[in-house]
Amino acid sequence: MPRKEIIYRDRDRYRMGVKKLRSLIEEQAPKAIKNTEFKALEGRIIAVDTSNNLYQFLTAIGTENGSSLMNSIGETTSHLQGTFYRTIKFMSNGIKPVFVFDGAPPTLKSGELAKRSAKKKEAKENLDEAKETGTTEDVAKFSKRTTSATRKQNEECIKLLTLMGIPVVRAPCEAEAQCAELVKGGKAWASGSEDMDSLAFGTKILLRNLTASDQKKNPLWEFDHEKLLYGTGFTHDQFIDLCILLGCDYCESIRGIGPVRAFELMQKHKSIEEVVKHLDPTKYPVPVPFPFDEAREPIQEPTCHPCR
DNA sequence: CGTGTCC
DNA sequence: TCCTCTGTCTCAAGACACG
DNA sequence: TGAGACCGAGGAT
């Protein structure tokens, strides 16, 4: 029991803010969100963030028995199947996709990397155990957690898209940042991503659940950056500060400050500097170190190919 | 719409 | 007492055609 | 990996 506590303590401390952001926007700037549909996107150029897509294909397509679809010599083809049909779906709806592939991940803290490899290891152990003693469902479930797209599979998808005449962009770093840059540079109308960080990167429009097959279960949402700022009264830089307070990759957040307090504090004080000045350090001590200023830079000016 | 199939 | 935040668990993750 | 549900601990009122 105590062993488990140690293992789980402080895990997922970073990158928690994104999920809070969705409900925060819904509450504070409801006009920035609207339910839309595929048909409404006809003629639009959309920068599609492909990170996670291959993972979804690999884990969702043909996995009744825990393995993927394969060609005659045993190579996995699920990622190609998924990429192909999704692209067809865009095209037949008159949508012009630009697929943006992830480059190297941004520099993470060593602690973060250690956590990830620990997770991977844990998943592997679970899988091995399931193979020994578990049901086939267990094996399928745990094998999904150990699955990840290989370099080769990424390249295969890029080749497929190129042959289909679909533009592909290789982001030097994070795909969402590159998508936002394409939109800001006028090359695309919207970002298609599941990641709310896209708004912090300044995309004008963010589309979520672009992959939805079932409109009822997974409605397609459109987030409008300008309306978001108008509704909340924030400048873009203030919005970025809010995102940092909610939790980001580059800097720890303040314990006890969640969505509600972070929003109120930013409304009142307009910057993290001022927020910190007005916090009672005995009740809400800031993390040491608390490099929030350094955390702004990779959000305001992320590494990506410039479009302007 | 649920269900099975895609390799 | 109420509100807010944290921690933990759990689950599901595509697209199509056919009936 | 992300999102919803549920819980207990504290500060807020």
Side-chain angles (χ1 to χ4, degrees), chain A residues 54-294:
Chain A
L54 297 200
Y55 175 79
Q56 289 174 332
F57 295 144
L58 290 170
T59 55
I61 303 179
T63 53
E64 304 87 22
N65 49 8
S67 65
S68 311
L69 303 186
M70 290 185 292
N71 65 12
S72 57
I73 57 172
E75 293 167 333
T76 296
T77 55
S78 295
H79 56 302
L80 295 170
Q81 177 107 354
T83 300
F84 181 75
Y85 278 116
R86 184 170 292 175
T87 306
I88 297 291
K89 189 182 167 190
F90 284 137
M91 292 170 82
S92 57
N93 279 279
I95 297 169
K96 298 168 183 163
V98 180
F99 284 91
V100 180
F101 284 76
D102 260 321
T107 43
L108 292 169
K109 293 185 169 101
S110 57
E112 187 73 1
L113 289 171
K115 281 178 204 165
R116 288 195 184 176
S117 70
K119 260 187 188 174
K120 259 254 150 60
K121 195 178 165 200
E122 192 184 318
K124 182 77 167 53
E125 283 166 7
N126 283 333
L127 176 60
D128 290 340
E129 192 184 328
K131 276 180 179 168
E132 292 283 328
T133 61
T135 63
T136 46
E137 287 87 27
D138 286 338
V139 174
K141 189 167 117 187
F142 288 122
S143 64
K144 285 178 184 181
R145 294 186 198 163
T146 54
T147 300
S148 57
T150 65
R151 176 102 204 156
K152 182 159 173 274
Q153 287 165 340
N154 258 279
E155 292 302 323
E156 286 170 350
C157 288
I158 290 173
K159 186 173 182 190
L160 172 63
L161 291 165
T162 306
L163 291 171
M164 291 174 80
I166 304 296
V168 170
V169 174
R170 293 170 188 266
C173 200
E174 290 178 288
E176 323 98 79
Q178 185 69 62
C179 288
E181 176 65 14
L182 286 163
V183 175
K184 287 191 282 185
K187 306 285 192 225
W189 173 76
S191 291
S193 175
E194 301 315 305
D195 196 335
M196 295 296 288
D197 280 351
S198 302
L199 289 167
F201 286 126
T203 189
K204 292 178 177 153
I205 303 285
L206 167 63
L207 296 167
R208 280 189 106 187
N209 283 340
L210 202 51
T211 69
S213 53
D214 185 349
Q215 277 292 55
K216 293 248 160 58
K217 197 175 139 212
N218 282 321
L220 180 50
W221 294 105
E222 182 180 319
F223 296 77
D224 187 309
H225 180 257
E226 197 182 327
K227 289 178 183 165
L228 164 62
L229 296 186
Y230 182 76
T232 57
F234 287 136
T235 64
H236 183 56
D237 284 345
Q238 288 167 354
F239 175 63
I240 289 175
D241 272 13
L242 174 66
C243 292
I244 292 172
L245 285 178
L246 292 176
C248 72
D249 280 342
Y250 314 106
C251 163
E252 219 171 317
S253 51
I254 303 168
R255 190 184 183 83
I257 304 297
V260 175
R261 287 176 194 142
F263 184 84
E264 286 171 0
L265 289 165
M266 276 304 298
Q267 290 264 302
K268 204 165 174 185
H269 303 301
K270 309 295 184 195
S271 72
I272 297 181
E273 283 88 348
E274 289 300 310
V275 168
V276 170
K277 267 189 214 168
H278 291 84
L279 276 179
D280 182 345
T282 60
K283 285 169 189 158
Y284 300 103
V286 300
V288 184
F290 188 41
F292 62 87
D293 190 37
E294 287 86 336

